[in-house]
Amino acid sequence: EPEVTQTPSHQVTQMGQEVILRCVPISNHLYFYWYRQILGQKVEFLVSFYNNEISEKSEIFDDQFSVERPDGSNFTLKIRSTKLEDSAMYFCASSGTSGRSTGELFFGEGSRLTVL
Amino acid sequence: AQSVTQLGSHVSVSEGALVLLRCNYSSSVPPYLFWYVQYPNQGLQLLLKYTTGATLVKGINGFEAEFKKSETSFHLTKPSAHMSDAAEYFCAVRGGSARQLTFGSGTQLTVLP
């Protein structure tokens, strides 16, 4: 069964360092997303990406964040200068095909980011 | 804009008892509604979804949910809880042209032996 894969599963970094989280969405999907979940809190939308550009973003997704689809398979989230409050589980998701979409998102297992 | 409210951040039931997890939504357009489950240290797995048509939807692991437009609710039920159902459950809504989901704050389900 196709799945969304994320790397790394866990990353520890020092405050101020740049971090790149990587995702391989399901191959025929067209829409890609990043969500985050701070420990014990709700899953929060960060950004959606379609046709090589950002289609929606939340107020959390400020200038410290960027997304990229550098090739035909990977989808990355970059945090330029990490802060303590960026510590969270980051989930990548994908949805949609060229045909009719039922709207569900398929999530990866997550990348846990710990900022020290 | 859409929003989701899950009543009860923690629910405990005995094994074999009815599971009822509550979800109310707000949406200015006809919504798509979802329930996801998250087991410890894992990602989000789709349990079931409502898009259009039949308002009672069945999902995996014996769960079902009923869309009630008049009550703006989409409560999740399972007739008989199993120990393996212990997890966190998230209700989510998608509405209008937005493709992203808006999640509720989650309900941690504990199943007691």
Side-chain angles (χ1 to χ4, degrees):
Chain A
E1 184 176 323
E3 59 181 19
V4 177
T5 58
Q6 291 185 241
T7 55
S9 56
H10 190 190
Q11 181 158 356
V12 181
T13 190
Q14 295 290 325
M15 191 169 56
Q17 295 296 302
E18 176 182 283
V19 161
I20 297 176
L21 305 178
R22 291 181 168 78
C23 169
V24 179
I26 294 173
S27 62
N28 62 346
H29 281 182
L30 301 176
Y31 300 86
F32 315 114
Y33 313 81
W34 284 101
Y35 284 78
R36 79 172 185 190
Q37 184 182 30
I38 296 171
L39 187 63
Q41 298 186 25
K42 68 194 298 183
V43 178
E44 301 173 292
F45 169 72
L46 292 178
V47 66
S48 61
F49 192 86
Y50 169 70
N51 201 25
N52 285 319
E53 62 183 21
I54 291 173
S55 50
E56 299 278 348
K57 62 180 181 178
S58 71
E59 59 269 17
I60 302 169
F61 193 87
D62 61 22
D63 292 344
Q64 291 298 310
F65 292 90
S66 62
V67 289
E68 195 177 34
R69 188 157 162 81
D71 52 43
S73 59
N74 288 285
F75 180 51
T76 62
L77 175 69
K78 181 192 290 186
I79 309 174
R80 264 181 264 285
S81 177
T82 50
K83 304 190 265 292
L84 296 176
E85 53 266 37
D86 294 327
S87 294
M89 181 74 91
Y90 288 82
F91 291 105
C92 175
S94 67
S95 73
T97 65
S98 56
R100 184 179 173 199
S101 169
T102 57
E104 69 189 86
L105 272 59
F106 294 80
F107 285 84
E109 299 264 319
S111 293
R112 181 167 297 286
L113 175 65
T114 301
V115 182
L116 302 176
Chain B
Q2 294 82 40
S3 66
V4 175
T5 302
Q6 291 185 240
L7 292 175
S9 57
H10 290 85
V11 170
S12 293
V13 299
S14 297
E15 192 173 19
L18 171 72
V19 175
L20 170 61
L21 304 182
R22 298 178 186 275
C23 171
N24 288 89
Y25 70 91
S26 171
S27 177
S28 55
V29 296
Y32 288 5
L33 294 157
F34 306 82
W35 276 99
Y36 282 84
V37 60
Q38 184 181 32
Y39 297 102
N41 300 312
Q42 293 189 28
L44 297 160
Q45 180 183 5
L46 181 70
L47 269 181
L48 50 78
K49 63 189 176 195
Y50 168 78
T51 53
T52 58
T55 56
L56 181 63
V57 292
K58 296 184 186 300
I60 62 171
N61 302 338
F63 284 93
E64 61 183 39
E66 186 171 11
F67 170 60
K68 292 188 176 180
K69 184 178 177 181
S70 61
E71 298 177 9
T72 61
S73 69
F74 190 57
H75 302 330
L76 181 71
T77 60
K78 181 174 180 178
S80 177
H82 192 271
M83 297 297 288
S84 61
D85 294 327
E88 185 141 27
Y89 292 79
F90 292 93
C91 183
V93 63
R94 175 193 157 201
S97 59
R99 281 204 166 246
Q100 70 270 20
L101 302 182
T102 299
F103 284 85
S105 52
T107 297
Q108 182 69 47
L109 175 67
T110 300
V111 181
L112 305 170

